[in-house]
Amino acid sequence: MDYRIEELGGGVMLCVSDTHTFGTDALMLSHFAAPKNRETVCDLCAGCGAVAFLWYRNSAQPRHVYAVDIQEEAVKLMEKTAGLSGISGFTPILGDLREPEKLLPAGSLDLITCNPPYRAAGSGIQSAEPSARTARHELFCTLDDVFASAKRLLRFGGRICVCHLPERLSDVLSSMRAHSFEPKRLRLCQESEGKPPWLILAEGKLGARPGGLVIEPVFLLKQNGALTQEAEKIYGKYRK
């Protein structure tokens, strides 16, 4: 298996390949979710594991992190990253999130993150490469599949954080509520002030009462093109 190393900072050496890499959306989601110390966490649709491995740059770390992907190469990359970076308390799982009963015990998690396929099945131009199609299009999981799986795996009061395209915001929020999650945070990611959002981040809490939704913008660049203070926190020592 061919791979290359991306240094994320904090001693984390992320293994990526041509078919399993990551972008700014993974950095944004990882920072947005920010697991609390000693939480048990799972990243669904993990790919190379960037969302989860970024948490290991911090001093306060989750109790244990699981990372699920349906593609064997992705899981092998995560195993290699954990070994090279000396990370313990991390378990990659080769599995299908549509079968959560085969992944982890019901109600065993405090937090789930997911960077799901963005394009609905049948929409847009599909890549000729199978791994790219799996990552980008809802061929093997839909938003409803993600939230149904999360509902089974999370404890009552647990939370899920996802990232998605702005044009699918209504799909994200309606699917959340259909599976007993109440939206509590919504972040609109913008390149700079005056630019339209290019990504949305949403957090839902299982079994929570309606209301209390906090909506906030986050800007990556100042008017002079320099990174904002928030962007500095998101990127840390890593620059893509």
Side-chain angles (χ1 to χ4, degrees), residues 30 43 49-56 65-67 90 113:
S30 183
D43 184 35
V51 172
F53 284 120
L54 284 162
W55 296 326
Y56 288 93
V65 176
Y66 298 94
F90 177 88
T113 55

Side-chain angles (χ1 to χ4, degrees), residues 172-199:
V172 172
L173 298 184
S174 61
S175 186
M176 263 192 186
R177 279 193 156 173
H179 294 89
S180 305
F181 290 94
E182 182 60 27
K184 290 299 180 182
R185 282 198 301 155
L186 178 62
R187 181 168 286 186
L188 309 177
C189 305
Q190 298 165 244
E191 182 181 341
S192 59
E193 290 191 58
K195 296 289 184 68
W198 59 272
L199 184 77

Side-chain angles (χ1 to χ4, degrees), residues 7-59:
E7 296 187 29
L8 298 183
V12 180
M13 313 293 284
L14 183 71
C15 298
V16 301
S17 67
D18 290 340
T19 52
H20 296 285
T21 184
F22 70 103
T24 305
D25 51 356
L27 294 166
M28 303 289 284
L29 177 59
S30 183
H31 181 261
F32 178 73
K36 297 179 178 64
N37 194 24
R38 310 306 293 167
E39 282 189 323
T40 302
V41 187
C42 182
D43 184 35
L44 299 176
C45 301
C48 64
V51 172
F53 284 120
L54 284 162
W55 296 326
Y56 288 93
R57 302 184 302 178
N58 305 319
S59 56

Side-chain angles (χ1 to χ4, degrees), residues 39 106-110 150-159 206:
E39 282 189 323
S108 61
L109 301 173
D110 301 298
K151 182 179 179 180
R152 177 183 175 87
L153 296 174
L154 284 168
R155 62 173 175 79
F156 186 83
R159 59 194 179 101
L206 183 60

Side-chain angles (χ1 to χ4, degrees), residues 70-123:
I70 199 170
Q71 299 187 74
E72 186 175 3
E73 181 181 309
V75 173
K76 288 182 177 178
L77 286 169
M78 290 189 282
E79 291 172 342
K80 192 166 289 292
T81 293
L84 288 175
S85 305
I87 292 173
S88 58
F90 177 88
T91 304
I93 298 174
L94 178 64
D96 190 333
L97 65 81
R98 295 171 297 183
E99 300 177 319
E101 69 281 358
K102 296 181 180 180
L103 301 177
L104 293 163
S108 61
L109 301 173
D110 301 298
L111 168 67
I112 285 176
T113 55
C114 186
N115 184 349
Y118 288 163
R119 303 294 180 183
S123 67

